[in-house]
Amino acid sequence: MKIITKAFFDGKFISKEEAATTYSSRFPDTLEISKTINELKRNPISNWGYIILISEYGISTSTITVDDLSIEY
């Protein structure tokens, strides 16, 4: 399973460096982010992966299924 984490602040996606410096005070608690990731890893439904979006509005998640990727077996 793949977990993609992106941060979106001030109308743009930000880098890890910006997240650690400029936007660190606006980020949710790291415990909250870790809890979200652990819940997704323990999910009994098998998905290809998840996207975690962190913004000034909080944390949101979306599933990525094989159909979303148009993968053919």
Side-chain angles (χ1 to χ4, degrees), residues 13-68:
F13 287 101
I14 61 170
S15 68
K16 290 180 182 179
E17 292 78 20
E18 288 176 300
T21 56
T22 308
Y23 296 94
S24 63
S25 64
R26 296 170 60 187
F27 256 68
D29 184 56
T30 54
L31 184 59
E32 186 180 347
I33 296 169
S34 296
K35 181 181 171 187
T36 301
I37 291 171
N38 287 334
E39 287 173 1
L40 295 174
K41 287 181 178 180
R42 291 188 191 115
N43 189 346
I45 300 171
S46 179
N47 289 306
W48 184 87
Y50 296 92
I51 297 174
I52 299 173
L53 181 64
I54 303 167
S55 72
E56 51 265 344
Y57 302 109
I59 301 171
S60 62
T61 61
S62 297
T63 60
I64 305 170
T65 64
V66 173
D67 292 335
D68 293 334

